Amino acid sequence: KAGVTQTPRYLIKTRGQQVTLSCSPISGHRSVSWYQQTPGQGLQFLFEYFSETQRNKGNFPGRFSGRQFSNSRSEMNVSTLELGDSALYLCASSLRSRTDTQYFGPGTRLTVL
Amino acid sequence: AQTVTQSQPEMSVQEAETVTLSCTYDTSESDYYLFWYKQPPSRQMILVIRQEAYKQQNATENRFSVNFQKAAKSFSLKISDSQLGDAAMYFCAYRSAVRGGSEKLVFGKGTKLTVNP
């Protein structure tokens, strides 16, 4: 079974621009979570989607948004980029519920100049 | 809110030796899961081992085992017969199992493990 895939792997943007990151979960997985990883703050939860509905959201400004499609693929969008948004963005998928383990993708490295 | 603490920012071990990474957590919940994830330089986060809080038996996966002390809220990872490929950042993580609770993973800051040949 193919693992979680994320595209693109690397992105360079400038302040004020917006960006969309994509995540394809493991086949059959219906839950997708997003995390931001930075050297200073570590790994922080962004949001979680299940069956196209956002179930949980972390403590991030409204510039960060996401969605999930009927095939469970998910996208996250960051508008009006700031330098502090430079990070590794990780996507994780799980089958369905809180009893299931989350499996991570390779991440998208976003650099904001 | 739940917190996870890894008190060892860096650890090193000789190849073939055993090393233990520490993790403590704080929660008022009685039902939860604990995980150890490994993140090598490639940045891919890989699940090492998982422990259900309701299980008293410590989880084991080949050379990896945990010492789960629920009362002490401690969850350490023991790596036996360390190999060069074990070198990575290791993250301890907590996840609620309470109905209606968040499914997010709460991570510690990580421990960088170096394996010396």
Side-chain angles (χ1 to χ4, degrees), chain B residues 8-26:
Chain B
Q8 307 151 316
E10 296 188 29
M11 292 279 286
S12 64
V13 63
Q14 291 297 126
E15 199 175 1
E17 297 294 308
T18 296
V19 64
T20 299
L21 308 183
S22 301
C23 172
T24 58
Y25 58 95
D26 188 29

Side-chain angles (χ1 to χ4, degrees), chain B residues 60-72:
Chain B
T60 300
E61 286 289 340
N62 301 314
R63 298 183 294 107
F64 299 88
S65 61
V66 297
N67 183 3
F68 173 48
Q69 302 289 327
K70 191 172 184 179

